[in-house]
Amino acid sequence: MGLRFGLLGTGHWAAETQAAALTAHPGAELVGVWGRAPEKAAQVAERYGARAYADLDALLADVDAVAVALPPDVQAELALRAARAGKHLLLDKPIALSTDAADAVVAEVGARGLASMVFFTNRFSDGIDAFVRESAEQGGWQGVRATLFASIFQPGNPYGASPWRKEKGGLWDVGPHVLSVVLPVLGPVEAVAAMAGPSDTVHLLTRHRGGAVGTFSVTLDAPEKAQGFEVVLFGEAGRAQVPNGDKSAVEAFQVAIDRLIAQVEGAPGDPLDVRFGREVVAVLEAAETALREGRTVDVPRAAG
C-alpha cells in the first residue's frame, strides 16, 4: 500500500488530472473523494474505484495526505483543517487568496512537521525545472519579460464557468505559473506596481531583492491570435528563454506526488512547498492592491 490520499474537489481538474494521477501512481492510493456536491463526489469516486465521503472529518481519519482541487479561498480553509488533523498537503496554486490565510497554512504545516507541495504545473516538467535551477545558479540576471495570454471563455472550455476565475482573472489563475518560474531565479519580490489593460489583461512591474526588475502581462481572455506563454530572462549572459513544458498535467502531477512522498519518507523540504506558495500569494495580493489603488505596494516578507 502507498501513501493514502483523500481528494478534495470534484471538478474537471480534480477528475481529469489529480484523480487520474493518484490512481495510476504506484506509490499512492486514492482512498476517497469529498466534494461540496455529494453527487459529483460519488461520480468521481466510482470512476476511480474509491469511496465517496459525505463527512470530511471521516475522510481525514482514513488518509495520510490530501490533494486539493478547489477554489483558492476554499482550499486554504480546508488545507488548514487537514493540517490540524496531521495530514500532508498537495495543494493547487494559488494556495489562498490572502497572505494571512496562506500564513496560517504555513504555520500549521511547520508546527506539525508535515510534508507539503504546491502544484505549479510547468515546474514539474524536467526541462523547465532544469532551466530554473541552472539559471538560479548562474546568476547575473537583471530582469525578465514574461507574458501568459490564455483564453478560457470559449465554448467547451472546462474552466470558463469557474466563478473564482471570472472574479480574480489571469492575475490569480495564470500569474502563479509565471511567478513560479521567475521567483527562484530573480529572488523575492520587494515591491510591485500594476496597471489594467484591454482584454482583462494585468500588467505588473516587480522589483526583486538584489535589484532585478520584472515585467509581467497576464490574462484569461486573450484574442485567439495573441495567445501564448513566453518568459525571457536578460542579464550579463545575454537572453535566455524558458523552454516549453515536456509533460502532460497528469504526468506532472505524478512528479509532485513523488516529491511529496520523498518528504514524507525523510527528504528535506521541497522548493515548491507551502512556504513558496505563500510567497507567490503575497506578490499577487500586493499586485491586486497596486491595481486597485494605483500605487506601488511593498510585498510583506514571511514571518521568521
Side-chain angles (χ1 to χ4, degrees):
M1 291 181 60
L3 192 69
R4 298 171 301 165
F5 275 88
L7 175 62
L8 311 186
T10 59
H12 180 82
W13 191 245
E16 302 302 326
T17 297
Q18 297 197 6
L22 287 163
T23 302
H25 195 287
E29 179 188 1
L30 178 57
V31 171
V33 180
W34 176 91
R36 295 174 293 173
E39 65 279 5
K40 291 184 179 179
Q43 292 170 2
V44 175
E46 181 180 6
R47 176 179 172 184
Y48 289 103
R51 173 185 167 188
Y53 283 74
D55 184 341
L56 177 57
D57 290 325
L59 174 58
L60 293 177
D62 288 345
V63 300
D64 308 307
V66 294
V68 186
L70 289 163
D73 54 337
V74 179
Q75 172 174 252
E77 178 183 346
L78 297 186
L80 185 59
R81 187 169 166 183
R84 286 172 174 164
K87 309 307 170 182
H88 307 294
L89 304 179
L90 179 42
L91 305 182
D92 207 12
K93 56 77 203 162
I95 66 170
L97 291 177
S98 74
T99 306
D100 286 347
D103 280 338
V105 175
V106 170
E108 197 67 30
V109 166
R112 295 183 179 273
L114 300 172
S116 67
M117 291 296 305
V118 182
F119 187 51
F120 299 93
T121 312
N122 287 329
R123 282 298 310 276
F124 295 93
S125 286
D126 294 339
I128 293 179
D129 183 61
F131 177 91
V132 170
R133 287 187 286 103
E134 291 165 6
S135 298
E137 292 171 3
Q138 178 179 356
W141 302 107
Q142 298 176 356
V144 66
R145 186 192 74 247
T147 303
L148 206 171
F149 279 5
S151 180
I152 68 169
F153 300 115
Q154 305 303 317
N157 189 293
Y159 307 111
S162 168
W164 83 264
R165 289 181 174 89
K166 286 185 176 181
E167 178 185 357
K168 292 296 186 177
L171 176 65
W172 284 90
D173 186 28
V174 296
H177 288 304
V178 183
L179 291 171
S180 75
V181 174
V182 172
L183 293 181
V185 178
L186 296 188
V189 174
E190 294 185 328
V192 60
M195 183 175 292
S199 297
D200 201 28
T201 54
V202 175
H203 305 273
L204 306 181
L205 190 65
T206 57
R207 185 181 72 243
H208 298 254
R209 193 181 306 165
V213 172
T215 59
F216 302 80
S217 299
V218 295
T219 184
L220 294 177
D221 197 18
E224 182 178 356
K225 294 182 179 180
Q227 295 171 31
F229 177 41
E230 182 180 55
V231 181
V232 180
L233 299 165
F234 59 89
E236 297 172 1
R239 294 159 52 90
Q241 184 168 337
V242 177
N244 294 325
D246 50 34
K247 281 183 167 58
S248 69
V250 170
E251 291 169 336
F253 198 77
Q254 288 187 314
V255 176
I257 297 169
D258 287 336
R259 287 165 60 170
L260 185 75
I261 292 173
Q263 291 178 68
V264 173
E265 294 177 345
D270 196 278
L272 297 178
D273 64 9
V274 291
R275 292 173 296 179
F276 182 74
R278 181 265 179 210
E279 183 179 348
V280 170
V281 170
V283 176
L284 298 174
E285 187 174 41
E288 191 171 65
T289 301
L291 191 66
R292 181 176 62 249
E293 299 182 2
R295 63 182 179 90
T296 299
V297 176
D298 292 336
V299 178
R301 295 188 182 184

